[in-house]
Amino acid sequence: MWSSSLRRSTKMKCLFSSTQSLSSNPKLISNTPSPSRSLSNLSSAFLLRPIRSPAIRAFSSNPKIAEVRALHSMQNPEAISYLTQREAAEIDEILMGPLGFSVDQLMELAGLSVATSISEVYKPSEYNRVLAICGPGNNGGDGLVAARHLYQFGYKPSVCYPKRTPKPLYIGLVTQLESLSVPFISVEDLPLDLSEDFDIVVDAMFGFSFHGAPRPPFDNLIQKLVCINTYDQTRQKSSVIVSIDIPSGWQVEGDDHPEGIKPDMLVSLTAPKLCAKKFCGPHHFLGGRFVPPSIADKYKLRLPPYPGTSMCVRIGKPPQVDISALRENYISPEFLEEHVDTDPFDQFRKWFDDVVAAGLREPNAMALSTACKNGKPSSRIVLLKGFDKNGFVWYTNYESRKAQELFENPHASLLFYWDGLNRQVRVEGSVQKVSDEESDQYFHSRPRGSQIGAIVSKQSTIVPGRHVLYDQYKQLEEKFSDGSLIPKPKNWGGYRLKPEMFEFWQGQKSRLHDRLRYSSRDINGQQVWNIERLAP
């Protein structure tokens, strides 16, 4: 990752360059939303300047859409900047000189980028055992830092560090790992087949300054990684290889390397090196989120923005996905009958408070499932606006499709899905309108823009174009610009679902999920809840 010749000539120490389907009431069908880890959480804050095109500029008022478009443009490898060895060394020199970065700062950013890239793809629940093979230089230092972060992320790292660098920075990194009881393994003690003991092998031996033939013991270590690719043809699962910046043994200028390491993941740093054009693995990430505009402009770097607060971003085309193989092995605390509240409303309150405390986005979003009188179902996302022992309340247009279905069949189900906590709750029951007074009170508690929007939207009717809604909105906005009271439309108000059944679901390992169902019974005029465990 750093140029050894540059280090010798400048005496620099080192540089950093670069759901399951739930049972349903016969009266309706409840659809379970699937988890999504999409680009919806992209932030407009990033250091690199994204590629701009007329299509992107047209959406400049929405930074999230602009960034999604920018990331999509990076799926073409030719749209991304690739650095030569000379350019990478020059960028290092600028970073370590006038820009004032220190060695340990850059190494920390590099190692954190590698660890976060790994965690994006290889979850510790299935890829827990990690071996970091570290070389004597700065690429090896990145591997040591990555191992420390992977430990904090819940992995079980081990380190093979045969040629240790006797400098305070590296000695400190070793001490940090030893304090965490991370084992150091000698070359002699490594298994012949690394896949027997490790799920992930981090290749942190050589960076972009490498040239010539690898010397012992790294020639044998590289051969062990090559053998993983060979063994992969004969076994169901082998270790995955993650290379830092460039695969060890490759030439940075992209010379042929048909017999070299073939990593499953490449984490390029600062910008991909020329040899990365020949990377054929499924996962190519960019890490090292620190390049200032001055360097991006000087070298005309075309790089994607980093999503949100992430230290890595996927580049190149996403891998082809076998949908049938997509699965999540959930890790959650046990959800046992003896630990739950006897009242499902109290149990729901506890879980809802957990979601709010966890900071999950829109914790009150719920899938509302309804059915018309002939049983034809439909579902949509609505927002819960209140709940108590009397039921769950939401608001909508009384002339919408779901309102018509509730008129014909006043039963529904609500589904809350909280991916971040591996939980979901389904509630079934009868539905009725709330009072006009309650609807009016809530309507006037909303922002004035939302009040006007409720008047403009004749929900579920056909609209000739967005401009029609916009023009009507602007007219009403001007009409009520004096701050006068905005009247609630007569066809707008709330519904309350009175629960007859709750089902609390919590994801567990090997699909042995917890499902506890509360069923309502009337005993001597009192509502009593019976708790039963359902098979997952």
Side-chain angles (χ1 to χ4, degrees), residues 338-354:
E338 56 265 31
H339 296 159
V340 302
D341 276 284
T342 56
D343 189 315
F345 290 98
D346 294 334
Q347 184 61 44
F348 183 88
R349 167 62 71 183
K350 283 186 177 180
W351 273 23
F352 191 83
D353 289 345
D354 289 344

PDB file of all heavy atoms in Angstrom, residues 338-354:
ATOM      1  N   GLU A 338     -41.719 -17.305  30.439  1.00  0.00           N
ATOM      2  CA  GLU A 338     -41.629 -16.849  31.822  1.00  0.00           C
ATOM      3  C   GLU A 338     -41.064 -15.435  31.958  1.00  0.00           C
ATOM      4  O   GLU A 338     -41.092 -14.855  33.042  1.00  0.00           O
ATOM      5  CB  GLU A 338     -40.792 -17.820  32.661  1.00  0.00           C
ATOM      6  CG  GLU A 338     -39.399 -18.075  32.123  1.00  0.00           C
ATOM      7  CD  GLU A 338     -39.344 -19.318  31.248  1.00  0.00           C
ATOM      8  OE1 GLU A 338     -40.359 -19.639  30.581  1.00  0.00           O
ATOM      9  OE2 GLU A 338     -38.281 -19.965  31.214  1.00  0.00           O
ATOM     10  N   HIS A 339     -40.573 -14.896  30.854  1.00  0.00           N
ATOM     11  CA  HIS A 339     -39.979 -13.555  30.908  1.00  0.00           C
ATOM     12  C   HIS A 339     -40.888 -12.466  30.352  1.00  0.00           C
ATOM     13  O   HIS A 339     -40.563 -11.286  30.470  1.00  0.00           O
ATOM     14  CB  HIS A 339     -38.652 -13.547  30.146  1.00  0.00           C
ATOM     15  CG  HIS A 339     -37.602 -14.430  30.743  1.00  0.00           C
ATOM     16  ND1 HIS A 339     -36.508 -14.899  30.028  1.00  0.00           N
ATOM     17  CD2 HIS A 339     -37.490 -14.943  31.986  1.00  0.00           C
ATOM     18  CE1 HIS A 339     -35.775 -15.664  30.821  1.00  0.00           C
ATOM     19  NE2 HIS A 339     -36.349 -15.705  32.011  1.00  0.00           N
ATOM     20  N   VAL A 340     -41.990 -12.848  29.714  1.00  0.00           N
ATOM     21  CA  VAL A 340     -42.819 -11.842  29.046  1.00  0.00           C
ATOM     22  C   VAL A 340     -43.909 -11.339  29.978  1.00  0.00           C
ATOM     23  O   VAL A 340     -44.249 -11.972  30.974  1.00  0.00           O
ATOM     24  CB  VAL A 340     -43.453 -12.418  27.759  1.00  0.00           C
ATOM     25  CG1 VAL A 340     -42.380 -12.911  26.812  1.00  0.00           C
ATOM     26  CG2 VAL A 340     -44.444 -13.523  28.087  1.00  0.00           C
ATOM     27  N   ASP A 341     -44.467 -10.183  29.629  1.00  0.00           N
ATOM     28  CA  ASP A 341     -45.597  -9.648  30.392  1.00  0.00           C
ATOM     29  C   ASP A 341     -46.856 -10.439  30.087  1.00  0.00           C
ATOM     30  O   ASP A 341     -47.051 -10.926  28.961  1.00  0.00           O
ATOM     31  CB  ASP A 341     -45.816  -8.179  30.024  1.00  0.00           C
ATOM     32  CG  ASP A 341     -44.903  -7.252  30.812  1.00  0.00           C
ATOM     33  OD1 ASP A 341     -45.181  -7.024  31.987  1.00  0.00           O
ATOM     34  OD2 ASP A 341     -43.908  -6.787  30.231  1.00  0.00           O
ATOM     35  N   THR A 342     -47.712 -10.552  31.052  1.00  0.00           N
ATOM     36  CA  THR A 342     -48.975 -11.256  30.851  1.00  0.00           C
ATOM     37  C   THR A 342     -49.929 -10.462  29.970  1.00  0.00           C
ATOM     38  O   THR A 342     -50.817 -11.032  29.343  1.00  0.00           O
ATOM     39  CB  THR A 342     -49.651 -11.543  32.207  1.00  0.00           C
ATOM     40  OG1 THR A 342     -49.822 -10.298  32.911  1.00  0.00           O
ATOM     41  CG2 THR A 342     -48.788 -12.477  33.043  1.00  0.00           C
ATOM     42  N   ASP A 343     -49.722  -9.148  29.925  1.00  0.00           N
ATOM     43  CA  ASP A 343     -50.552  -8.277  29.099  1.00  0.00           C
ATOM     44  C   ASP A 343     -49.783  -7.923  27.824  1.00  0.00           C
ATOM     45  O   ASP A 343     -48.694  -7.350  27.894  1.00  0.00           O
ATOM     46  CB  ASP A 343     -50.903  -7.001  29.872  1.00  0.00           C
ATOM     47  CG  ASP A 343     -51.938  -6.151  29.147  1.00  0.00           C
ATOM     48  OD1 ASP A 343     -51.804  -5.966  27.926  1.00  0.00           O
ATOM     49  OD2 ASP A 343     -52.872  -5.665  29.809  1.00  0.00           O
ATOM     50  N   PRO A 344     -50.300  -8.244  26.624  1.00  0.00           N
ATOM     51  CA  PRO A 344     -49.558  -7.974  25.385  1.00  0.00           C
ATOM     52  C   PRO A 344     -49.331  -6.493  25.120  1.00  0.00           C
ATOM     53  O   PRO A 344     -48.359  -6.129  24.448  1.00  0.00           O
ATOM     54  CB  PRO A 344     -50.432  -8.609  24.303  1.00  0.00           C
ATOM     55  CG  PRO A 344     -51.801  -8.645  24.888  1.00  0.00           C
ATOM     56  CD  PRO A 344     -51.606  -8.872  26.353  1.00  0.00           C
ATOM     57  N   PHE A 345     -50.202  -5.634  25.617  1.00  0.00           N
ATOM     58  CA  PHE A 345     -49.996  -4.195  25.436  1.00  0.00           C
ATOM     59  C   PHE A 345     -48.730  -3.748  26.182  1.00  0.00           C
ATOM     60  O   PHE A 345     -47.948  -2.935  25.671  1.00  0.00           O
ATOM     61  CB  PHE A 345     -51.212  -3.408  25.929  1.00  0.00           C
ATOM     62  CG  PHE A 345     -52.428  -3.561  25.070  1.00  0.00           C
ATOM     63  CD1 PHE A 345     -53.421  -4.459  25.412  1.00  0.00           C
ATOM     64  CD2 PHE A 345     -52.582  -2.817  23.916  1.00  0.00           C
ATOM     65  CE1 PHE A 345     -54.556  -4.609  24.632  1.00  0.00           C
ATOM     66  CE2 PHE A 345     -53.710  -2.961  23.118  1.00  0.00           C
ATOM     67  CZ  PHE A 345     -54.700  -3.865  23.479  1.00  0.00           C
ATOM     68  N   ASP A 346     -48.539  -4.272  27.386  1.00  0.00           N
ATOM     69  CA  ASP A 346     -47.333  -3.934  28.141  1.00  0.00           C
ATOM     70  C   ASP A 346     -46.088  -4.491  27.458  1.00  0.00           C
ATOM     71  O   ASP A 346     -45.039  -3.841  27.420  1.00  0.00           O
ATOM     72  CB  ASP A 346     -47.436  -4.477  29.572  1.00  0.00           C
ATOM     73  CG  ASP A 346     -48.536  -3.802  30.374  1.00  0.00           C
ATOM     74  OD1 ASP A 346     -48.872  -2.645  30.048  1.00  0.00           O
ATOM     75  OD2 ASP A 346     -49.060  -4.428  31.320  1.00  0.00           O
ATOM     76  N   GLN A 347     -46.210  -5.714  26.902  1.00  0.00           N
ATOM     77  CA  GLN A 347     -45.077  -6.297  26.193  1.00  0.00           C
ATOM     78  C   GLN A 347     -44.753  -5.503  24.941  1.00  0.00           C
ATOM     79  O   GLN A 347     -43.577  -5.268  24.622  1.00  0.00           O
ATOM     80  CB  GLN A 347     -45.371  -7.752  25.816  1.00  0.00           C
ATOM     81  CG  GLN A 347     -44.213  -8.483  25.143  1.00  0.00           C
ATOM     82  CD  GLN A 347     -42.980  -8.564  26.031  1.00  0.00           C
ATOM     83  OE1 GLN A 347     -43.071  -8.857  27.216  1.00  0.00           O
ATOM     84  NE2 GLN A 347     -41.830  -8.281  25.454  1.00  0.00           N
ATOM     85  N   PHE A 348     -45.784  -5.059  24.225  1.00  0.00           N
ATOM     86  CA  PHE A 348     -45.550  -4.236  23.040  1.00  0.00           C
ATOM     87  C   PHE A 348     -44.872  -2.924  23.419  1.00  0.00           C
ATOM     88  O   PHE A 348     -43.949  -2.470  22.731  1.00  0.00           O
ATOM     89  CB  PHE A 348     -46.871  -3.958  22.309  1.00  0.00           C
ATOM     90  CG  PHE A 348     -46.694  -3.167  21.047  1.00  0.00           C
ATOM     91  CD1 PHE A 348     -46.436  -3.800  19.845  1.00  0.00           C
ATOM     92  CD2 PHE A 348     -46.781  -1.776  21.059  1.00  0.00           C
ATOM     93  CE1 PHE A 348     -46.263  -3.074  18.671  1.00  0.00           C
ATOM     94  CE2 PHE A 348     -46.609  -1.036  19.898  1.00  0.00           C
ATOM     95  CZ  PHE A 348     -46.349  -1.694  18.702  1.00  0.00           C
ATOM     96  N   ARG A 349     -45.299  -2.328  24.499  1.00  0.00           N
ATOM     97  CA  ARG A 349     -44.690  -1.072  24.952  1.00  0.00           C
ATOM     98  C   ARG A 349     -43.209  -1.264  25.230  1.00  0.00           C
ATOM     99  O   ARG A 349     -42.392  -0.426  24.867  1.00  0.00           O
ATOM    100  CB  ARG A 349     -45.420  -0.553  26.194  1.00  0.00           C
ATOM    101  CG  ARG A 349     -44.707   0.553  26.945  1.00  0.00           C
ATOM    102  CD  ARG A 349     -44.532   1.804  26.099  1.00  0.00           C
ATOM    103  NE  ARG A 349     -45.785   2.494  25.867  1.00  0.00           N
ATOM    104  CZ  ARG A 349     -45.889   3.585  25.102  1.00  0.00           C
ATOM    105  NH1 ARG A 349     -44.817   4.071  24.498  1.00  0.00           N
ATOM    106  NH2 ARG A 349     -47.072   4.165  24.929  1.00  0.00           N
ATOM    107  N   LYS A 350     -42.844  -2.375  25.866  1.00  0.00           N
ATOM    108  CA  LYS A 350     -41.436  -2.631  26.154  1.00  0.00           C
ATOM    109  C   LYS A 350     -40.633  -2.731  24.868  1.00  0.00           C
ATOM    110  O   LYS A 350     -39.559  -2.127  24.732  1.00  0.00           O
ATOM    111  CB  LYS A 350     -41.282  -3.925  26.966  1.00  0.00           C
ATOM    112  CG  LYS A 350     -41.641  -3.793  28.434  1.00  0.00           C
ATOM    113  CD  LYS A 350     -41.319  -5.090  29.173  1.00  0.00           C
ATOM    114  CE  LYS A 350     -41.596  -4.936  30.661  1.00  0.00           C
ATOM    115  NZ  LYS A 350     -41.286  -6.183  31.415  1.00  0.00           N
ATOM    116  N   TRP A 351     -41.125  -3.509  23.918  1.00  0.00           N
ATOM    117  CA  TRP A 351     -40.398  -3.667  22.660  1.00  0.00           C
ATOM    118  C   TRP A 351     -40.347  -2.342  21.889  1.00  0.00           C
ATOM    119  O   TRP A 351     -39.315  -2.014  21.287  1.00  0.00           O
ATOM    120  CB  TRP A 351     -41.055  -4.759  21.823  1.00  0.00           C
ATOM    121  CG  TRP A 351     -40.529  -6.134  22.144  1.00  0.00           C
ATOM    122  CD1 TRP A 351     -39.931  -6.528  23.302  1.00  0.00           C
ATOM    123  CD2 TRP A 351     -40.551  -7.281  21.288  1.00  0.00           C
ATOM    124  NE1 TRP A 351     -39.575  -7.850  23.230  1.00  0.00           N
ATOM    125  CE2 TRP A 351     -39.949  -8.340  22.007  1.00  0.00           C
ATOM    126  CE3 TRP A 351     -41.034  -7.524  20.016  1.00  0.00           C
ATOM    127  CZ2 TRP A 351     -39.807  -9.615  21.464  1.00  0.00           C
ATOM    128  CZ3 TRP A 351     -40.899  -8.802  19.472  1.00  0.00           C
ATOM    129  CH2 TRP A 351     -40.292  -9.832  20.184  1.00  0.00           C
ATOM    130  N   PHE A 352     -41.436  -1.601  21.893  1.00  0.00           N
ATOM    131  CA  PHE A 352     -41.440  -0.325  21.173  1.00  0.00           C
ATOM    132  C   PHE A 352     -40.436   0.642  21.802  1.00  0.00           C
ATOM    133  O   PHE A 352     -39.707   1.352  21.085  1.00  0.00           O
ATOM    134  CB  PHE A 352     -42.844   0.276  21.189  1.00  0.00           C
ATOM    135  CG  PHE A 352     -43.001   1.439  20.249  1.00  0.00           C
ATOM    136  CD1 PHE A 352     -43.264   1.232  18.910  1.00  0.00           C
ATOM    137  CD2 PHE A 352     -42.880   2.748  20.705  1.00  0.00           C
ATOM    138  CE1 PHE A 352     -43.405   2.304  18.032  1.00  0.00           C
ATOM    139  CE2 PHE A 352     -43.015   3.819  19.847  1.00  0.00           C
ATOM    140  CZ  PHE A 352     -43.279   3.589  18.508  1.00  0.00           C
ATOM    141  N   ASP A 353     -40.372   0.660  23.122  1.00  0.00           N
ATOM    142  CA  ASP A 353     -39.387   1.518  23.793  1.00  0.00           C
ATOM    143  C   ASP A 353     -37.964   1.091  23.429  1.00  0.00           C
ATOM    144  O   ASP A 353     -37.070   1.936  23.270  1.00  0.00           O
ATOM    145  CB  ASP A 353     -39.571   1.462  25.314  1.00  0.00           C
ATOM    146  CG  ASP A 353     -40.833   2.184  25.777  1.00  0.00           C
ATOM    147  OD1 ASP A 353     -41.405   2.947  24.980  1.00  0.00           O
ATOM    148  OD2 ASP A 353     -41.244   1.963  26.938  1.00  0.00           O
ATOM    149  N   ASP A 354     -37.722  -0.222  23.289  1.00  0.00           N
ATOM    150  CA  ASP A 354     -36.398  -0.709  22.873  1.00  0.00           C
ATOM    151  C   ASP A 354     -36.043  -0.192  21.487  1.00  0.00           C
ATOM    152  O   ASP A 354     -34.892   0.197  21.228  1.00  0.00           O
ATOM    153  CB  ASP A 354     -36.371  -2.241  22.857  1.00  0.00           C
ATOM    154  CG  ASP A 354     -36.389  -2.854  24.254  1.00  0.00           C
ATOM    155  OD1 ASP A 354     -36.119  -2.115  25.227  1.00  0.00           O
ATOM    156  OD2 ASP A 354     -36.674  -4.058  24.368  1.00  0.00           O
TER     157      ASP A 354
END
